[in-house]
Amino acid sequence: MRRLLLALLLAATGICPATAAETAAAWGIEQLMQNLGQVKSARGKFVERKYLAILNAPLESSGTLVYTGPGRLEKYTLLPKPETLVLDQDKLSIEYKDRNQRRTLVLQDYPVIWAFVESIRSTLAGDLQTLNRFYRTSLEGSEDQWRLSLKPAEPKMQTVVKEIHLRGSGNRVRAIEIIEAEGDRSVMTITEDAP
């Protein structure tokens, strides 16, 4: 009798134990990457705080991020001074407006920078294969509130970065924390622009 009542109650509320279990089982890093890969473009504001052991207070910068999938990421720092970083496929361009300087790097020539760049770009693109090439990945949380942890696989990268944590909700990245090998860290908080 109890089983019948439980079955009727579950049916009436639209909850099926198998469906709930399937939903929980379906959520994982593959599903997260699929969800992220569906985002073709995004724009938001960022605030980045760098915590350095030699300083009492964090260094803060802010500006705008623009992502166009699968391979273009633009970071426009407005404060404290203007700086532009544009990642387009295998090239990273850096422009310092106050010094009127511009530099372009081919990522394959700089393996550590390439690995760092892929932590963000591959996550945004939902490219698990490339992400796994550079990092050991682990995922915690639920689809509504997740944390992706990346530990560098390459020894050279391990001398620079200890771990990277990306936090988000659904198919949006909300924060990126980079913990350096020497103990310094940076935290970037991202808020999405209104459509």
Side-chain angles (χ1 to χ4, degrees):
M1 185 67 145
R2 284 186 200 162
R3 286 184 187 166
L4 179 59
L5 287 174
L6 180 60
L8 289 172
L9 180 62
L10 290 173
T13 58
I15 298 173
C16 176
T19 305
E22 288 169 8
T23 302
W27 171 249
I29 196 162
E30 290 83 8
Q31 184 62 47
L32 172 63
M33 291 292 117
Q34 185 178 355
N35 292 351
L36 290 168
Q38 292 175 355
V39 177
K40 300 305 174 202
S41 65
R43 182 182 184 92
K45 294 181 180 5
F46 75 88
V47 174
E48 186 173 20
R49 292 179 179 89
K50 294 184 181 181
Y51 299 87
L52 307 174
I54 61 170
L55 298 177
N56 293 330
L59 297 174
E60 187 172 301
S61 61
S62 61
T64 304
L65 293 172
V66 179
Y67 170 72
T68 308
R72 186 171 175 90
L73 183 61
E74 303 165 43
K75 179 183 177 189
Y76 299 100
T77 302
L78 303 173
L79 297 172
K81 47 187 167 178
E83 175 183 284
T84 302
L85 280 100
V86 176
L87 172 64
D88 194 3
Q89 303 305 323
D90 68 340
K91 291 186 176 66
L92 177 65
S93 299
I94 307 163
E95 184 177 351
Y96 302 98
K97 304 255 185 203
D98 61 332
R99 294 181 261 172
N100 200 22
Q101 291 180 330
R102 184 184 172 107
R103 184 172 181 198
T104 301
L105 308 174
V106 176
L107 292 176
Q108 286 81 353
D109 295 340
Y110 301 89
V112 171
I113 295 173
W114 185 17
F116 175 72
V117 163
E118 288 302 344
S119 70
I120 299 167
R121 176 174 52 189
S122 293
T123 299
L124 292 173
D127 185 354
L128 185 57
Q129 183 177 358
T130 301
L131 204 56
N132 284 334
R133 176 178 173 187
F134 294 101
Y135 296 94
R136 291 186 313 277
T137 61
S138 64
L139 179 64
E140 298 172 354
S142 66
E143 191 170 358
D144 293 333
Q145 190 173 2
W146 51 263
R147 182 176 113 156
L148 178 64
S149 296
L150 309 175
K151 290 188 178 184
E154 295 291 321
K156 285 184 181 179
M157 183 64 171
Q158 291 170 1
T159 65
V160 179
V161 173
K162 179 179 178 183
E163 196 164 8
I164 299 171
H165 301 285
L166 296 103
R167 291 189 316 272
S169 175
N171 62 3
R172 298 293 189 219
V173 174
R174 304 291 185 206
I176 302 168
E177 178 182 23
I178 300 164
I179 303 168
E180 297 178 20
E182 299 294 320
D184 293 338
R185 67 185 182 99
S186 67
V187 179
M188 177 186 290
T189 304
I190 304 163
T191 55
E192 194 172 350
D193 281 354

